[in-house]
Amino acid sequence: MPAATRSRAYILCTAPRSGSTLLCCMLAATGVAGRPGSHLHAPALEGWLAAYDLDPDAFDAEEDAARAVLAAALSRGRGRGQDLAAPFALRLQSGSFPHLIARLAALHPDAADDRARLAAAFGPARFIHLSRPDRLGQALSRVRAEQTGLWHRRANGSELERLAPPAPPRYDRAAIAAAMAQAEALDAAWNAWFAAEDIAPLRLDYADLAEDPRAVLAETLRFLDLDPALAEAVEPPTARLADAETARWRARFEAEGAP
């Protein structure tokens, strides 16, 4: 499809520990798919402004501040050095979504629904839903990350993202069960929103992404009307954090029965 007729944006709808960092990094590495990321992750205007080093006192009204943030997010989501026709790319998680929609509703009061509000801000968008149906695996990954502080590791084994000082992991059945329930609720929220907005997203499964990242990248590029052959040259940049201890936790949780 010619660049002029492509969607101007795509939004990756997901939840923590679903493989979105891997997919976002690989999409950015193609050089034509923008730079997907959590550009509007904070669920408050103050967090948005801080993320873009914008001074709140520089704006006369909250609407002006929100517009400045959205302009900065658009620039970041297209990515420097990308193809000039690259779309705006955004990763969204349920926790930050209500604040984004509330801000867009204030800025675009004539938009009929959430999809129209997003289009008014970012251009006509396509939607991708990356999910991890293995709720126990997702919960184990999240609890381990929260306990150890390490959220992502590069393919060479070095740390990519650490959010807290190192700490040893410890089996916590209640925390795992709570994380499972939360993961289920977050996916249900996305599916309810897709139905309400009459959106048919590209549906991707974490298990497929973990098994063959390039194949899932190619599928995603094809959905975006971009060249799927570009996936062949992209090296997966992250390594899985699951290890023998993760397997022991899974076996113990399953042996203990339903929560």
Side-chain angles (χ1 to χ4, degrees):
M1 179 178 293
T5 62
R6 292 177 187 154
S7 291
R8 290 171 51 200
Y10 66 92
I11 297 176
L12 176 62
C13 305
T14 187
R17 315 313 290 169
S18 292
S20 62
T21 294
L22 170 59
L23 183 58
C24 285
C25 289
M26 294 184 74
L27 282 162
T30 66
V32 299
R35 190 167 296 280
S38 298
H39 310 308
L40 299 164
H41 184 62
L45 181 59
E46 294 78 8
W48 282 7
L49 292 166
Y52 287 95
D53 295 322
L54 295 173
D55 181 4
D57 296 331
F59 305 99
D60 294 329
E62 287 192 355
E63 289 80 5
D64 296 331
R67 288 190 184 94
V69 169
L70 291 172
L74 274 167
S75 178
R76 185 177 292 180
R78 291 194 176 103
R80 295 181 178 178
Q82 295 273 327
D83 185 297
L84 292 177
F88 168 73
L90 176 66
R91 173 174 59 182
L92 277 179
Q93 295 186 353
S94 298
S96 55
F97 186 61
H99 177 71
L100 172 60
I101 290 300
R103 289 292 174 186
L104 294 182
L107 294 175
H108 303 285
D110 295 332
D113 51 28
D114 291 349
R115 188 173 190 173
R117 295 178 186 107
L118 289 164
F122 307 124
R126 297 184 184 184
F127 297 85
I128 301 165
H129 185 209
L130 175 59
S131 180
R132 190 169 181 172
D134 176 13
R135 303 299 184 205
L136 178 53
Q138 188 173 6
L140 292 171
S141 179
R142 181 160 190 176
V143 170
R144 286 285 301 271
E146 290 174 343
Q147 290 181 350
T148 65
L150 179 61
W151 285 76
H152 297 100
R153 192 184 297 280
R154 294 184 179 88
N156 64 9
S158 64
E159 293 187 2
L160 174 61
E161 183 181 26
R162 172 173 290 282
L163 300 182
R170 62 194 181 285
Y171 180 82
D172 185 334
R173 180 173 177 79
I176 296 168
M180 288 179 68
Q182 184 181 46
E184 185 68 34
L186 292 175
D187 249 16
W190 278 127
N191 285 321
W193 183 76
F194 293 140
E197 298 291 320
D198 194 26
I199 291 171
L202 171 66
R203 296 191 180 274
L204 301 177
D205 189 318
Y206 168 87
D208 296 330
L209 180 62
E211 177 68 23
D212 194 342
R214 288 191 184 91
V216 172
L217 176 60
E219 180 182 2
T220 305
L221 291 171
R222 191 176 297 109
F223 174 73
L224 299 174
D225 295 317
L226 298 170
D227 184 3
L230 293 172
E232 298 174 8
V234 178
E235 292 292 334
T238 61
R240 298 181 67 176
L241 294 179
D243 56 16
E245 185 163 17
T246 306
R248 288 193 292 270
W249 283 15
R250 176 184 283 274
R252 178 175 173 180
F253 189 92
E254 292 174 337
E256 291 172 349

